[in-house]
């Protein structure tokens, strides 16, 4: 398929077309030069777009995703020539220990990193621990950050490189919500998952602040299914874990796992 036609079919917006063109550039670089080629870190929605592009292009092998650890949310895409198994040097990790009693949050850490001129695409997940944070990042920026990242918000940091094999993955705390809903419409399930009224849930969706499986969705009547991930900016995130049978009143039983 012609490159332009492929991009037009795979992309849902001009911005996404630019992103996917860069993905194709990395694929072409790997094939032309027979060397590993790596994209920037991609968000879950961007990963879905890249997967769609690869499927449309008939590219099913010769690549892998790497976010530094198994459950990473932000990952980069590695294209590999036939002789290579994995580009282990593409991703690294920093350990930033806190100095003092006050612990910075995710926003503090990300903001201070971007304040150094680091673009988001160079950074993977930021994992918060009780006395430190771990930052997954492109390996080529680790020396700069080790020397220059000294604080997050008002908190002083002691920063060093950390082998990925020593990464500590914090336990994700969730609250199980068992409820019944009138239907599996997005607004009904959102209301249950975030403990909102149906009207407030509809307002949240219409405002463009909600994402279904990492993609913005403004349709209240969109049907959801078990395994769907729903996030709302400024509100939180949950997974529709299970969908059960109907009650005597015709309501559908659901189990929701809300992240705390």
């Amino acid at each position: 398929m012609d490159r332009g036609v492929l991009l037009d079919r795979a992309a849902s917006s001009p911005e996404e077309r630019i992103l996917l063109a860069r993905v194709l550039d990395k694929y072409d670089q790997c094939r032309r030069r027979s060397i590993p080629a790596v994209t920037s870190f991609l968000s879950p929605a961007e990963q879905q777009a890249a997967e769609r592009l690869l499927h449309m292009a008939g590219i099913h092998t010769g690549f892998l995703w790497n976010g530094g650890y198994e459950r990473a949310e932000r990952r980069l895409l590695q294209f590999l020539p036939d002789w290579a198994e994995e580009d282990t040097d593409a991703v690294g990790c920093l350990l930033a220990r806190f100095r003092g009693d006050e612990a910075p949050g995710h926003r503090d850490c990300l903001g201070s990193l971007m304040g150094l001129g680091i673009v988001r695409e160079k950074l993977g997940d930021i994992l918060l621990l009780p006395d430190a944070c771990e930052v997954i990042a492109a390996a080529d920026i680790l020396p700069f950050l080790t020397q220059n990242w000294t604080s997050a918000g008002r908190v002083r940091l002691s920063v060093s490189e950390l082998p990925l094999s020593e990464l500590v993955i914090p336990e994700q705390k969730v609250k199980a919500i068992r409820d019944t809903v009138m239907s599996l419409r997005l607004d009904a399930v959102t209301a249950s998952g975030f403990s909102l009224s149906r009207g407030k849930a509809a307002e949240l969706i219409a405002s463009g602040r909600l994402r279904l499986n990492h993609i913005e969705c403004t349709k209240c009547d969109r049907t959801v299914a078990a395994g769907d991930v729903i996030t709302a900016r400024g509100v939180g995130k949950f997974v529709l874990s299970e969908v059960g049978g109907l009650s005597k009143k015709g309501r559908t039983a659901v189990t929701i796992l809300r992240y705390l």
Side-chain angles (χ1 to χ4, degrees), residues 159-189:
V159 180
S160 60
E161 293 192 31
L162 179 73
L164 289 171
S165 60
E166 298 179 18
L167 195 65
V168 177
I169 310 301
E171 181 182 357
Q172 181 67 67
K173 296 180 180 179
V174 297
K175 175 185 178 182
I177 300 171
R178 293 175 176 83
D179 198 3
T180 60
V181 293
M182 284 294 295
S183 70
L184 292 176
R185 283 172 49 120
L186 180 58
D187 55 357
V189 175

Side-chain angles (χ1 to χ4, degrees), residues 48 68 83 102-103 125 127 134 157 171 182 188 201 211 214 228:
Q48 290 183 7
W83 55 265
E102 188 176 359
D125 289 359
L127 307 176
E134 300 164 324
L157 303 175
E171 181 182 357
M182 284 294 295
R211 289 178 174 266
H214 313 293
D228 283 348

